[in-house]
Structure formats: structure tokens, C-alpha cells
Amino acid sequence: MAYEAVHEASPEPLQGRTVLVTGAAGGAGAAVAWALSRAGASVVLAACDAEPLEEQAARIGAAGGHAIAVRTDLTDQVAVRRLVEQTLGAFGRLDAACNDTACSGTCDDAACDASCDASCDASCDASCDASCDASCDAACHDAACTDVAANDERARGLALAMRYEIASMRTGGSIVNLAPGPAGIALTRATARQLAGSGIRVNAVTAGGPDEIAGAVVWLCSDAATHITGETLTPPSLRPANRPRKRPAGR
């Protein structure tokens, strides 16, 4: 896998860098945060539920890493701006960000819908099911169920997060959006085009298990992937999604 190759070349390919991870309370987001820390990055963990974030930060700290937990309503513009400000206040820089919007529903308990039952659970992303706490459960499932409106909601969350992340990346950087849906993938590509030549790369990762996704994110945030932008990658091969493999000449 690409992460393993990067790790062999440098045990800590992200040493000295700061990475913000939204949706880091569990599932793929938590796996990404852990892998980034192992790769040497200082990590800022953000989600609407404080307790699992603090547990993640404590786990990273116990292993010798650097992490802070910031409870954030990822649907609120002021809260997202403050999240980025806290990142800069704690570590002085922002080099990369990983946005997992599958569980970015409002933190307001009133948003929870009791009608979100087992049939909805079955159709929701596995990463969402693994990372939602009781207070955000129904709101998260409403956002993650596969319909066009939910995908647009994720895209709006991505746009909000990237707005402040990009503004804080002073010397270039990398943004990775996790399983953002069709609207989010289109936004990822459009943002990458707009930032061409700026030194900021924007990519998406779709499918794969939490560890595979985490490895892909580490690779995309490292110097080994400086040539990759505007792509939607599928681990473990990291081949661009929906792009056919090239056939050898003569076949």
C-alpha cells in the first residue's frame, strides 16, 4: 500500500506538520487521526461530541503524539472559523486537513429523529454508524443516507470547512475529503482547479476500510503525493475511481 511505502522511506513523513481532522470521533475519522499521529503530525480532532474526541486525544498523547480535541458544530460557520483559529493558536500552522462529513449533523439534540430505525441504519455508511454517539445518531443518519439531498448537505459542509482551511494554509497544503458523495466529489474537483498553482492540493478518498482510508490520507498529505490533485482515489490501490486501467501496448 502507498502508506507503507512512504513509511518505509521515512518513519514520520509528516513530522512537524499540523493536520485538522473533522468527523474524528470514530470510524474512518478516528483511524485517520491515529495514522496521521503515527506519521509524525500534530493532530486537531473535531466533531460534535466531546467525549470520544478527548479519548482519542488522550490515546494519541499516551503514545507520544500531539493532539487536541475541539468540540465543534461542523454545520456552523462561526464554530468552524473558531476551530481553525484554535488550530493556529495551538500549533501555529495548518498544513493539511481531512474532512469526514458523514457525521457532521448538528449537535442539537432536537435535530435527532426517532424515526431513524434499523432500515435507515442498514443503508447508512459504516463509518457513520461507527462514529455517531447517541445525541447525534439520528441527525447523522439523516445526513448519511443515500439520497441527493444528503449528498448536497455534505457538499455544503465540505465547502464551509475548506473555506477556512484553505485561508489558513499559508505555504501550501493538502485537503482530503472522505466519501463526500457525487456533489462533494464535484466540489473537490472544482476547488482543486481553482487552487491550481497555489501549492494547495484537494483530493477525495472513497470506499475502503478505516485503516485503508487512513493510509491513503497519510499518503495524500505527504510529499510523495505532491503531484496528485483533483482526484477521487479508491484504496488500497489508490487508483482514481471510475478511471479504467491502461492496457499494455499491443493488446
Side-chain angles (χ1 to χ4, degrees):
M1 182 174 190
Y3 167 64
E4 293 170 346
V6 170
H7 198 72
E8 288 175 4
S10 172
E12 295 186 337
L14 302 180
Q15 181 65 42
R17 302 183 191 182
T18 300
V19 186
L20 169 61
V21 182
T22 70
V32 164
W34 179 248
L36 290 166
S37 177
R38 285 183 58 214
S42 298
V43 186
V44 178
L45 313 176
C48 66
D49 189 17
E51 185 175 351
L53 286 183
E54 291 169 356
E55 291 174 355
Q56 289 284 345
R59 181 186 176 207
I60 289 172
H66 301 281
I68 62 170
V70 182
R71 183 183 184 275
T72 307
D73 183 346
L74 298 170
T75 66
D76 182 81
Q77 179 174 336
V78 173
V80 174
R81 175 175 57 80
R82 288 176 178 169
L83 166 64
V84 174
E85 289 173 350
Q86 285 181 264
T87 299
L88 297 177
F91 297 112
R93 59 190 292 166
L94 178 61
D95 301 285
C98 177
N99 299 308
D100 184 356
T101 59
C103 213
S104 60
T106 176
C107 295
D108 187 352
D109 289 351
C112 292
D113 180 3
S115 66
C116 182
D117 55 14
S119 62
C120 180
D121 291 346
S123 65
C124 289
D125 292 343
S127 61
C128 171
D129 290 340
S131 61
C132 291
D133 66 291
S135 66
C136 283
D137 189 65
C140 172
H141 288 150
D142 286 347
C145 287
T146 54
D147 59 44
V148 174
N151 286 332
D152 287 344
E153 182 176 342
R154 290 195 196 182
R156 288 192 294 271
L158 286 180
L160 180 59
M162 289 195 292
R163 172 183 176 184
Y164 291 102
E165 292 162 356
I166 290 166
S168 300
M169 293 180 177
R170 298 163 186 162
T171 58
S174 175
I175 294 175
V176 184
N177 299 322
L178 300 188
I185 288 172
L187 177 62
T188 296
R189 291 173 178 166
T191 305
R193 287 195 298 270
Q194 292 170 359
L195 294 174
S198 71
I200 298 176
R201 299 175 289 111
V202 187
N203 294 286
V205 174
T206 183
D211 291 339
E212 292 176 335
I213 292 171
V217 172
V218 169
W219 181 69
L220 285 169
C221 290
S222 75
D223 291 341
T226 54
H227 60 296
I228 303 293
T229 191
E231 296 285 5
T232 299
L233 305 181
T234 302
S237 67
L238 300 186
R239 183 169 60 90
N242 301 321
R243 180 174 298 181
R245 298 179 185 273
K246 292 183 179 180
R247 294 184 178 182
R251 291 191 182 181

